[in-house]
Amino acid sequence: MNSLYQTSIHSLPLLGHGKVRDNYAVGDDKILIVTTDRLSAFDVVMNEPIPGKGKVLNQMSDFWFEKLGHIVPNHLTGVAPESVVAPDEVEQVQGRAVVAKRLKPIMVEAVVRGYIIGSGWKDYQETGSICGIQLPAGLQQAEKLPEPIFTPAAKAELGEHDENISFAEMEERIGAELAAKMRDVAIALYKTAAEYAATRGIIIADTKFEFGLDDNGVMHLMDEVLTADSSRFWPADSYQPGISPPSFDKQFVRDYLETLTWGKTAPAPALPADVIEKTQAKYFEAIERLTGEKLKA
């Protein structure tokens, strides 16, 4: 499978390269978002692509946007990406791009945790809480929380680490009304998605959502949704509290990187071929398990 590490679209104005996505202006009110095969871990972009990963993420997001559209508006326009680029650029967008509404991003990520893992587990071990939310004593690693919790994170500049913040600080940054709406919508999205995923034998341990406002101040779900990059997916049949479960996501790469002596800052260490292949297999398995469909060509 061919991979795309970085786009080279010249028929549209470039807005910028993110960690994984390249964004181009489509007029004044729309944006072409191309999901490349770049992979970032610990907020550092790896040097090697994961072939097909961008198409998996794009197809997965489209699946969730449709399934969750009754809860909150989203950024999709329905415009075919192939229709907004030059003929010789079509291959770069096929299966891996969307034309989205151009929204004003809310600079706080909406993180919802249903299980205690990752930075939340570290926080809990030290403080008995996650992002200031007090939790019951005696929880084990990867244990299901009594109720999903909302733990916002301040969006960082490219190459910097996002910063967990309290809900009170989120209210200070964006206002109490918008903060409450983001929290309530994010938890509703998570619960609906987790219930569906459970029917497919998958646990959604946690996830992050991003929201933006249109010109009328209406909040929209944007960017990516419940992908293997923005979420932790665990196979339900091998899940047990007390250990870090295997994941259908980039946790495989994170685990490999944790074995290295590396400061988690650029430049990234090289990924061996077997790590790339196994990571690719995780992404492909994730979309088949979740949606029941193989990756579309």
Side-chain angles (χ1 to χ4, degrees):
M1 175 176 284
N2 292 335
S3 62
L4 179 70
Y5 190 81
Q6 184 167 300
T7 56
S8 55
I9 292 171
H10 302 292
S11 59
L12 297 172
L14 174 68
L15 294 173
H17 299 289
K19 292 170 192 162
V20 174
R21 288 164 182 78
D22 294 347
N23 299 324
Y24 295 85
V26 181
D28 295 329
D29 60 345
K30 290 186 283 295
I31 182 171
L32 176 71
I33 304 172
V34 188
T35 307
T36 72
D37 294 330
R38 295 193 295 270
L39 182 142
S40 86
F42 304 111
D43 293 314
V44 177
V45 178
M46 301 293 109
N47 300 306
E48 301 83 8
I50 307 296
K53 167 181 174 284
K55 292 186 176 183
V56 169
L57 298 184
N58 194 69
Q59 188 172 320
M60 205 176 265
S61 281
D62 283 351
F63 171 83
W64 286 115
F65 277 129
E66 182 177 349
K67 189 165 283 294
L68 301 171
H70 64 287
I71 296 175
V72 63
N74 62 57
H75 71 181
L76 296 183
T77 63
V79 175
E82 294 84 354
S83 71
V84 301
V85 298
D88 63 345
E89 297 166 342
V90 165
E91 190 177 348
Q92 294 183 61
V93 302
Q94 277 183 326
R96 63 167 73 245
V98 294
V99 178
K101 299 172 187 174
R102 198 162 181 178
L103 303 167
K104 180 184 178 185
I106 300 169
M107 298 304 288
V108 176
E109 288 187 342
V111 180
V112 183
R113 303 172 189 267
Y115 293 73
I116 186 166
I117 196 72
S119 64
W121 170 240
K122 291 177 184 175
D123 195 1
Y124 175 75
Q125 287 179 293
E126 293 170 5
T127 67
S129 62
I130 299 178
C131 293
I133 300 171
Q134 198 64 36
L135 296 173
L139 293 177
Q140 299 182 69
Q141 183 184 26
E143 189 166 343
K144 186 176 184 178
L145 298 171
E147 276 294 319
I149 60 173
F150 178 74
T151 60
K155 286 179 66 64
E157 296 295 322
L158 187 62
E160 299 295 320
H161 296 284
D162 294 338
E163 176 194 1
N164 290 342
I165 59 175
S166 67
F167 186 71
E169 186 173 342
M170 179 181 178
E171 289 180 311
E172 288 178 19
R173 288 176 181 236
I174 67 171
E177 185 178 347
L178 184 56
K181 184 168 187 179
M182 270 183 69
R183 176 196 61 204
D184 295 347
V185 168
I187 289 175
L189 291 168
Y190 172 81
K191 285 183 172 179
T192 302
E195 286 174 9
Y196 166 78
T199 70
R200 306 290 307 175
I202 287 182
I203 292 169
I204 303 177
D206 54 33
T207 193
K208 66 176 181 180
F209 300 107
E210 299 200 31
F211 296 95
L213 303 174
D214 68 11
D215 291 340
N216 297 315
V218 176
M219 191 176 81
H220 287 62
L221 185 60
M222 57 177 268
D223 197 59
E224 63 180 321
V225 182
L226 291 150
T227 70
D229 268 15
S230 66
S231 319
R232 281 188 179 89
F233 297 130
W234 297 338
D237 56 8
S238 59
Y239 164 76
Q240 63 182 83
I243 61 169
S244 181
S247 298
F248 296 117
D249 54 39
K250 62 183 177 182
Q251 189 62 41
F252 188 84
V253 171
R254 291 195 197 100
D255 289 346
Y256 166 73
L257 293 172
E258 289 281 21
T259 68
L260 306 180
T261 305
W262 173 55
K264 297 178 182 176
T265 56
L271 297 179
D274 68 313
V275 171
I276 292 171
E277 288 169 14
K278 287 173 182 172
T279 302
Q280 182 194 47
K282 291 282 187 186
Y283 278 89
F284 280 49
E285 185 178 359
I287 194 161
E288 287 188 38
R289 287 279 295 258
L290 263 177
T291 69
E293 296 180 356
K294 290 186 182 292
L295 179 65
K296 295 169 187 170

